[in-house]
Amino acid sequence: MKRDFICIRDWSVKEIEEIFSLTEKLKKDPLGFFSSLEGKTLALIFEKPSTRTHVSFMVGMYQLGGNALYLGPEQVKLGVREPIKDIARTLSRYVDGIVIRTFSHENVLEMARYASIPVINGLSDLLHPCQALADIFTIREKKGKVRKVKLGFIGDGNNVLHSLLYGCSKLGIDLYIATPKGYEPKEIIFREAKMLAKKSGAEIRMSTSPYTVVKECEFLYTDVWVSMGQEKEKRKRLRDFKGFQLNRKLFSEAGNMPYILHCLPCHRGEEITDEVIEGKNSLVFEQAENRLHVQKAILIKLLS
């Protein structure tokens, strides 16, 4: 039976730990896995442009001995040129797996529903599971564990935060969130995360004060305030997020010099200042590199 990677909620703690264990091996010995996906082909269907997701999946397939095909927005035109269900069924006869990066999460679900091969969520408006797993793996590398590590997320309650909510609550990471009023994560996801946290022992908290988060956390995470497709809201969002910038003043409130995380791309001078992201505690390029290693582990798990 085929398996998809769409939402971290759908994967057990044991399976996630297996991905992390394999990621460690892949990172230490990339040449040792060169024939893992020999003869396999991955299709990348992208409605939204990307640097990290596009390149890391292309390079990852190459390093595992397989091939990758990039199908950009002008080539596929999801749901416009032809229905998603027809694309899913056709590609299932040509390739061994699909990565879809799209605006609507419904597009991901429809692709998975009709494809007979594994589908990986490369980003939707609701979730960004590959990013969140790479983030948590980065924390695990730095601390040697994840359980009861304190992670603070300051900013928009977006797809990255939704996936972090599932990942942290499952794995026992304390997640403290600060968002402006009206930009909280989706209530149903927050509720589900709180339920999952009861089992893992994680503490999930939400406030409107970035200062309370900064004081307590070992890792601080932020993301852009204006994502792709939200350009018309830019003026309002910049006004609403005032006071949530990760800058020297906010950072100085931290008691323990937290590590800095950002999924990139960043808007320097908006959600984060240049000096913070370039500071010695910044892990953003370790995060970016770990996208490659974690996704290779996911590919082996699903395609081999």
Side-chain angles (χ1 to χ4, degrees), residues 68-276:
L69 303 171
Y70 178 75
L71 302 168
E74 291 306 313
Q75 291 167 283
V76 179
K77 293 187 177 176
L78 283 176
V80 176
R81 189 165 167 269
E82 63 180 319
I84 291 173
K85 61 184 178 183
D86 290 357
I87 297 170
R89 289 181 290 197
T90 301
L91 288 182
S92 295
R93 293 166 184 253
Y94 296 152
V95 301
D96 302 282
I98 296 171
V99 174
I100 177 169
R101 181 180 169 93
T102 182
F103 288 95
S104 168
H105 191 66
E106 285 303 313
N107 290 347
V108 180
L109 297 177
E110 186 172 358
M111 186 70 72
R113 192 179 312 130
Y114 287 97
S116 58
I117 55 177
V119 171
I120 297 171
N121 181 0
L123 177 141
S124 69
D125 57 358
L126 188 69
L127 299 170
H128 199 356
C130 295
Q131 179 66 56
L133 273 200
D135 301 335
I136 294 170
F137 182 78
T138 306
I139 292 170
R140 183 178 181 268
E141 272 190 318
K142 188 55 68 176
K143 295 291 290 186
K145 63 170 190 172
V146 293
R147 186 169 171 72
K148 300 314 287 180
V149 170
K150 297 186 186 308
L151 169 64
F153 186 96
I154 297 172
D156 192 12
N158 59 12
N159 49 5
V160 171
L161 178 55
H162 290 157
S163 287
L164 285 172
L165 274 164
Y166 285 131
C168 292
S169 60
K170 280 209 148 198
L171 296 170
I173 300 170
D174 294 339
L175 178 59
Y176 303 156
I177 301 164
T179 65
K181 192 170 174 52
Y183 293 91
E184 299 88 353
K186 284 193 176 296
E187 190 178 340
I188 185 170
I189 293 179
F190 189 76
R191 278 206 311 268
E192 286 180 335
K194 295 278 278 186
M195 291 294 291
L196 291 167
K198 285 182 182 174
K199 186 174 181 183
S200 71
E203 185 181 12
I204 309 292
R205 274 198 253 148
M206 189 157 57
S207 76
T208 55
S209 169
Y211 286 94
T212 59
V213 168
V214 165
K215 287 179 185 300
E216 296 186 69
C217 291
E218 304 155 86
F219 293 82
L220 294 176
Y221 198 131
T222 190
D223 191 7
V224 292
W225 296 339
V226 186
S227 296
M228 213 178 303
Q230 296 173 330
E231 290 79 5
K232 288 181 181 176
E233 303 171 28
K234 182 171 182 176
R235 182 176 294 181
K236 180 178 186 306
R237 282 177 166 264
L238 294 186
R239 186 177 64 240
D240 293 346
F241 280 92
K242 191 176 179 183
F244 285 76
Q245 184 187 66
L246 262 182
N247 53 31
R248 180 189 289 177
K249 181 171 183 292
L250 189 60
F251 195 73
S252 69
E253 297 291 327
N256 54 358
M257 297 292 286
Y259 293 107
I260 300 299
L261 301 170
H262 193 303
C263 53
L264 299 175
C266 68
H267 295 166
R268 295 176 187 232
E270 288 185 12
E271 77 276 3
I272 193 165
T273 59
D274 198 66
E275 63 183 346
V276 171

